Amino acid sequence: MSVTPQIPSAARPAMQAPPGEEIFITPAEWRWLTIVSAVLLLAAFAPMILVAAQPPQGWQFTGVLYNFLDGGSYLSKMRLGFEGGWLVTFLHNPQPIDSAFIQTLYPALGHVARLTGLPMQDLFHVMRALASAAMYAAIYALGAVIWTRVSTRRLFFAIAVIGSGVGWLLGPLQGRVDYPDFTLLPEAFPFTSTLMNVHFPLAIAVLALLCAQWVLLLRPGGDGPALPRSPTLSVFCLSLLAGVLYPQAMVPFGLAAVGTLGLRVLRRHVRRAQVLALAALMLPLAPLGLLVVVTVSESPGLSAWNAQNVTAAPDPLTFALGFGLPLLLALPAIVRALRRLGSDSDQMMLFWLAAIVLCVALPTNIQRRFAAGIMLPIAFFAARALVDFWLPRVGAPQRRPAVLVGLLLMGVSPVLYLILPAAGARTAPEQSSGVMLQQGYLDAFAWIEASDTGETVVLAAPAPSAWIPGYTGHRVVYGHPYETLQADTRRAEAQAWYALPAGPQCSELLDRYAIALVMVGPQERALGPVGCAETLNLAAEFGAVQVHVR
């Protein structure tokens, strides 16, 4: 069975699902989707499995191949749940700060790990796989809501999942990493999101299902026939889930929902079911948003975290180039939608795409967060334009090769994103510090975790410090550029301590942050002569890695 999407015939336009008709996905489609999803999951996990199974001599894999800093953060939040908590505080900080109802998925997974006995890292990756599979099914279901023709559904799915821009080409040439597809904005691209964590693909899945339900609600004469039977309840539940998983993504989606109903009010086509669904969409978001805003604003520590948690978007041209060929292909369909605002799906996708662009352009410190799921409307317009505009201008024998070449070009960024970190970890582990650590560190973490010291502050180099909270449950002086308050200062303080000669000045940093344990290994010796270790007591040694106590 071929996993490449069948090219729609240009003689027949892509058909929308008729109003009031059940959305039907055939068993053959489910088999195709299962095979394609399995291939994508295998591709996403194979590099990590290879690195874990065959690390370079003298090195150990820490457990997360892509963006180890955030990987260590997720593991630390799972540790909070493993130890019985539900609220999040930042262990990558030497001093306790207030807890908050944010990123609650990971403490919940920690509770699951405690109840099931599964190692937290194993559970993290199992849930990442399940979330990815759910996302692929949700994206295909969205295509099935919009189109009746299987070939167009598959084309939309392929563009949505692997579509990306030209950052892979321009980024290395310019020495930049701020193109959305390479490597700035993984949550915008479904396949790349599966490499990162659990909540990115799960949030995209929820957005796809919400969009599908909203299109059904907008459809003339339809109050949501098939996804599922109770549209108001389903919208409420999906909105609540999205608000917990990724609240920023619901801002542009909510604006799009308001815009589509506003258009219907102007055209006097609004129905009671649509108004109820809009209320159900907003109802869980208001208290969740208010809770986070009040909690952060009332806490000095959380306010400081929020102030340095800056995720700015690149300039508009760079942002657009990050979506490259899919966005270029989509332009004719976007222009047509602007002129006509005809079909329910055109309206929803146009309002959603415009709302995302608007929110990204706003002068906030979380600009990039609003772009989660942006490939869904872009892929919608790209698939529609391919079938209705581009393919009719290509000779019939050339249509399939043209689409396949286009998909290959779209997929370069995710393929490079997939393989380059694994290649670096295997061939140059010293350049992948944090993904890889020298042998002895993980044994030292296990010893620290088993030690009956209560909550302790540990001093270590930045790369090991990213993992200490998750592996041990203890705090560090510096371990994350956002979750360590005054991150630049504390990073400099931690690094400078290892360059000091033995003397009374060694105790200043230890006293300031009540540091009880100090690690000395290859990572720390690279920072200086570690003369201050002479003033401490050696408690444990694991090869080249030592743990000292005061």
Side-chain angles (χ1 to χ4, degrees):
M1 179 183 294
S2 172
V3 298
T4 56
Q6 184 180 358
I7 308 306
S9 168
R12 293 181 296 169
M15 296 173 61
Q16 272 200 193
E21 182 175 295
E22 292 287 336
I23 306 305
F24 184 65
I25 301 177
T26 67
E29 289 180 85
W30 285 120
R31 287 194 295 271
W32 181 88
L33 179 62
T34 300
I35 292 172
V36 172
S37 299
V39 170
L40 292 169
L41 285 171
L42 180 62
F45 280 85
M48 184 191 73
I49 293 171
L50 179 63
V51 171
Q54 297 180 342
Q57 185 174 2
W59 293 81
Q60 294 174 297
F61 178 55
T62 54
V64 173
L65 183 58
Y66 306 96
N67 194 351
F68 78 91
L69 287 171
D70 283 351
S73 170
Y74 304 139
L75 192 63
S76 73
K77 295 174 177 64
M78 290 179 69
R79 170 69 64 171
L80 295 172
F82 187 84
E83 295 178 353
W86 284 101
L87 301 180
V88 165
T89 188
F90 301 131
L91 297 178
H92 291 86
N93 201 62
Q95 297 157 336
I97 64 172
D98 294 328
S99 300
F101 187 78
I102 54 175
Q103 298 186 359
T104 310
L105 171 66
Y106 294 103
L109 292 181
H111 282 274
V112 174
R114 175 171 50 84
L115 294 172
T116 62
L118 287 173
M120 286 188 292
Q121 281 201 6
D122 292 349
L123 179 63
F124 174 83
H125 292 301
V126 167
M127 292 304 300
R128 185 162 66 89
L130 293 175
S132 302
M135 179 190 70
Y136 294 139
I139 291 173
Y140 195 86
L142 173 59
V145 164
I146 296 170
W147 291 286
T148 59
R149 294 189 56 202
V150 172
S151 55
T152 312
R153 295 174 177 183
R154 292 180 178 179
L155 185 62
F156 163 73
F157 177 87
I159 297 172
V161 170
I162 67 170
S164 63
V166 293
W168 64 271
L169 176 63
L170 299 179
L173 289 177
Q174 299 173 340
R176 296 168 57 182
V177 292
D178 61 344
Y179 284 91
D181 62 319
F182 198 84
T183 56
L184 187 69
L185 198 57
E187 59 264 52
F189 302 92
F191 177 76
T192 309
S193 77
T194 68
L195 308 179
M196 299 293 120
N197 52 43
V198 181
H199 71 282
F200 281 179
L202 199 55
I204 293 174
V206 174
L207 288 170
L209 292 176
L210 262 175
C211 185
Q213 180 64 82
W214 205 257
V215 169
L216 287 171
L217 282 161
L218 295 179
R219 192 159 289 167
D223 288 345
L227 197 73
R229 296 287 179 180
S230 176
T232 303
L233 179 60
S234 69
V235 167
F236 176 85
C237 294
L238 289 169
S239 179
L240 176 61
L241 185 55
V244 171
L245 290 172
Y246 207 116
Q248 300 93 333
M250 288 305 295
V251 176
F253 190 91
L255 290 174
V258 171
T260 55
L261 286 203
L263 182 63
R264 271 156 174 69
V265 170
L266 292 176
R267 294 178 174 181
R268 302 192 178 187
H269 291 160
V270 68
R271 300 194 308 274
R272 179 174 178 272
Q274 296 167 343
V275 176
L276 289 176
L278 182 61
L281 182 75
M282 299 301 179
L283 185 59
L285 298 179
L288 285 175
L290 182 63
L291 175 64
V292 171
V293 169
V294 170
T295 302
V296 171
S297 62
E298 293 295 321
S299 167
L302 291 173
S303 295
W305 159 72
N306 186 56
Q308 69 180 26
N309 186 16
V310 178
T311 54
D315 62 87
L317 178 60
T318 300
F319 189 80
L321 289 171
F323 300 96
L325 185 56
L327 184 57
L328 181 64
L329 292 174
L331 288 178
I334 293 173
V335 171
R336 185 180 66 177
L338 282 168
R339 288 176 175 174
R340 299 180 183 177
L341 280 178
S343 72
D344 36 75
S345 52
D346 276 348
Q347 294 167 17
M348 181 60 204
M349 293 298 189
L350 186 61
F351 276 106
W352 192 11
L353 181 59
I356 290 175
V357 172
L358 173 64
C359 290
V360 168
L362 292 175
T364 69
N365 66 335
I366 54 171
Q367 291 173 319
R368 298 200 306 263
R369 304 299 185 203
F370 296 120
I374 191 176
M375 273 305 299
L376 297 179
I378 290 176
F380 164 81
F381 287 117
R384 174 148 289 181
L386 268 171
V387 173
D388 297 341
F389 182 85
W390 297 109
L391 289 181
R393 288 161 172 76
V394 178
Q398 287 78 42
R399 286 172 190 155
R400 179 180 289 272
V403 171
L404 293 180
V405 169
L407 290 175
L408 288 174
L409 289 175
M410 292 181 197
V412 173
S413 278
V415 169
L416 291 178
Y417 208 126
L418 178 71
I419 64 176
L420 289 180
R426 292 288 307 282
T427 61
E430 66 280 356
Q431 301 299 319
S432 300
S433 183
V435 173
M436 310 297 295
L437 290 175
Q438 290 90 342
Q439 283 185 347
Y441 276 103
L442 299 190
D443 292 331
F445 295 165
W447 182 87
I448 293 173
E449 180 189 22
S451 301
D452 187 17
T453 58
E455 186 177 278
T456 298
V457 179
V458 182
L459 178 64
S465 292
W467 292 106
I468 288 171
Y471 272 96
T472 71
H474 296 312
R475 297 182 175 275
V476 291
V477 175
Y478 169 86
H480 196 278
Y482 296 151
E483 296 185 5
T484 302
L485 305 189
Q486 304 173 37
D488 292 340
T489 298
R490 285 174 174 168
R491 180 187 179 102
E493 289 175 336
Q495 292 176 322
W497 188 89
Y498 287 100
L500 292 174
Q505 68 273 20
C506 294
S507 62
E508 294 178 5
L509 184 71
L510 305 183
D511 291 339
R512 185 182 312 149
Y513 298 126
I515 295 167
L517 299 175
V518 176
M519 297 192 70
V520 177
Q523 296 280 333
E524 291 73 26
R525 295 187 184 98
L527 301 176
V530 201
C532 286
E534 299 175 11
T535 66
L536 305 173
N537 300 312
L538 178 63
E541 191 167 9
F542 306 92
V545 179
Q546 301 172 340
V547 181
H548 295 260
V549 298
R550 296 186 66 181

